Amino acid sequence: MPNIVLFSGSSHHDLSQKVADRLGLELGKVITKKFSNQETCVEIGESVRGEDVYIVQSGCGEINDNLMELLIMINACKIASSSRVTAVIPCFPYARQDKKDKSRAPISAKLVANMLSVAGADHIITMDLHASQIQGFFDIAVDNLYAEPAVLQWIKENIPEWKNCIIVSPDAGGAKRVTSIADRLNVEFALIHKERKKANEVDRMVLVGDVKDRVAILVDDMADTCGTICHAADKLISAGAIKVYAILTHGIFSGPAISRINNAPFEAVVVTNTIPQEEKMKQCPKIQVIDISMILAEAIRRTHNGESVSYLFSHVPL
């Protein structure tokens, strides 16, 4: 592939390497370091003049440092005369701060969008945005890819009794995602209505739908402290579900998440590798990972060649 350069930020080197291998490219030379006062320093180690540049950086780990590093890398490539800079952000940072849900709340996702645009990004590739309206915060093109095709494939290959399953959304916000998967599998779906008193703490839950004697599959776009999905799993077991699986696109797993999962009645908690999971898998044998590097790689290839990306919304690239 001529005129393309792929750089990796420091947030998720493993994923960037898989994408590069899939595309048959070498990762571009870039040195990211911190000065002793913790300022981020980025040196692009090769010419990008006239090139189509892709920078892979996920919103995980030290989120603010990684976001700043991405902005600096975009700007460095932009002022080094690259023809186009695309930020590949598998897990979009600050995606949950997308509306004024109370007085004086910031809309930080919009701020991040503005920062990326001002830094010089021409195009964004991301995956399973928390709310798809975030695409409208940008005036540049945004491709919001879906993990759904890979999730469907995993369910069919790893859950023998998937024809007798029920897909469950742990909150009303995920209803659309769940109905879509249930339709594709031709099974029923259920919802759990939750009330939050304050962020990261769930107050009470109500299950809508019949899960008795079925395999319940909880599907959500992200799990952070895992309070919601662990509550939901208990609720499903007490409502008569035989087994409970959880499938999540972004496994953030912060704070007490791992101990909660270990104590919850899950058969497996399946996440994608938009966020590095190696350390978490050592602490929790229930966590399994779906590799989505081929979806990102194919999106990059199609974008570079000016082809349509919409095929990826319903198919996993071979």
Side-chain angles (χ1 to χ4, degrees):
M1 292 166 75
N3 291 58
I4 179 170
V5 183
L6 183 67
F7 289 117
S8 169
S10 55
S11 67
H12 198 346
H13 203 271
D14 184 43
L15 180 66
S16 310
Q17 190 59 59
K18 283 182 170 151
V19 170
D21 293 345
R22 171 86 190 196
L23 292 168
L25 299 171
E26 294 279 318
L27 281 174
K29 294 183 189 66
V30 61
I31 299 165
T32 55
K33 56 178 190 276
K34 282 211 177 113
F35 292 124
S36 60
N37 68 348
Q38 297 302 303
E39 279 183 12
T40 301
C41 168
V42 174
E43 291 171 24
I44 306 291
E46 60 186 75
S47 169
V48 293
R49 186 176 293 274
E51 302 280 4
D52 190 9
V53 176
Y54 293 83
I55 302 170
V56 182
Q57 179 84 303
S58 201
C60 56
E62 298 283 333
I63 290 201
N64 298 326
D65 285 353
N66 290 337
L67 176 59
M68 199 65 207
E69 181 183 288
L70 174 62
L71 296 169
I72 293 172
M73 285 174 83
I74 290 169
N75 196 245
C77 292
K78 198 72 190 168
I79 61 178
S81 306
S82 60
S83 69
R84 177 172 69 168
V85 181
T86 302
V88 182
I89 312 174
C91 180
F92 193 83
Y94 291 94
R96 284 174 287 183
Q97 298 185 34
D98 59 350
K99 57 185 175 291
K100 283 189 76 164
D101 49 3
K102 49 185 182 287
S103 303
R104 297 175 295 282
I107 305 181
S108 310
K110 167 78 173 159
L111 177 63
V112 172
N114 289 341
M115 286 158 69
L116 287 162
S117 302
V118 169
D122 300 296
H123 185 177
I124 307 287
I125 295 175
T126 183
M127 185 162 241
D128 273 342
L129 280 171
H130 187 61
S132 49
Q133 294 91 312
I134 293 174
Q135 292 172 86
F137 291 169
F138 290 91
D139 290 328
I140 54 178
V142 178
D143 283 319
N144 180 26
L145 304 171
Y146 299 110
E148 184 182 293
V151 166
L152 291 166
Q153 188 180 344
W154 189 92
I155 290 173
K156 288 175 180 172
E157 287 173 3
N158 295 280
I159 302 181
E161 56 279 79
W162 65 269
K163 288 182 176 164
N164 180 36
C165 75
I166 183 161
I167 313 291
V168 187
S169 171
D171 58 12
K176 212 168 178 179
R177 184 179 294 107
V178 164
T179 47
S180 170
I181 290 178
D183 285 349
R184 298 278 297 275
L185 290 172
N186 199 18
V187 296
E188 288 180 34
F189 71 94
L191 292 177
I192 289 176
H193 171 67
K194 67 178 178 189
E195 291 174 4
R196 280 186 198 269
K197 282 282 187 285
K198 55 178 191 268
N200 289 353
E201 283 185 27
V202 180
D203 189 34
R204 67 186 198 96
M205 302 185 115
V206 183
L207 174 65
V208 184
D210 179 25
V211 297
K212 193 166 169 51
D213 301 330
R214 293 201 181 151
V215 174
I217 304 175
L218 278 163
V219 176
D220 208 354
D221 67 318
M222 61 168 65
D224 189 351
T225 54
C226 292
T228 304
I229 61 162
C230 292
H231 256 105
D234 294 335
K235 190 90 188 163
L236 291 167
I237 292 289
S238 65
I242 317 169
K243 291 181 183 171
V244 182
Y245 291 85
I247 304 185
L248 318 150
T249 306
H250 309 297
I252 300 167
F253 300 145
S254 64
I258 296 295
S259 65
R260 281 177 177 169
I261 292 174
N262 281 327
N263 297 327
F266 290 114
E267 294 293 311
V269 174
V270 184
V271 293
T272 68
N273 59 347
T274 55
I275 293 174
Q277 300 294 349
E278 288 74 29
E279 289 304 311
K280 310 272 175 22
M281 288 169 79
K282 287 176 192 160
Q283 299 166 24
C284 177
K286 291 182 187 176
I287 296 175
Q288 298 184 28
V289 174
I290 300 173
D291 182 22
I292 47 87
S293 61
M294 68 285 183
I295 298 176
L296 294 173
E298 185 63 10
I300 290 172
R301 189 192 68 76
R302 284 170 179 258
T303 305
H304 177 65
N305 294 336
E307 299 171 24
S308 166
V309 176
S310 53
Y311 173 83
L312 296 174
F313 297 161
S314 51
H315 299 81
V316 180
L318 297 169

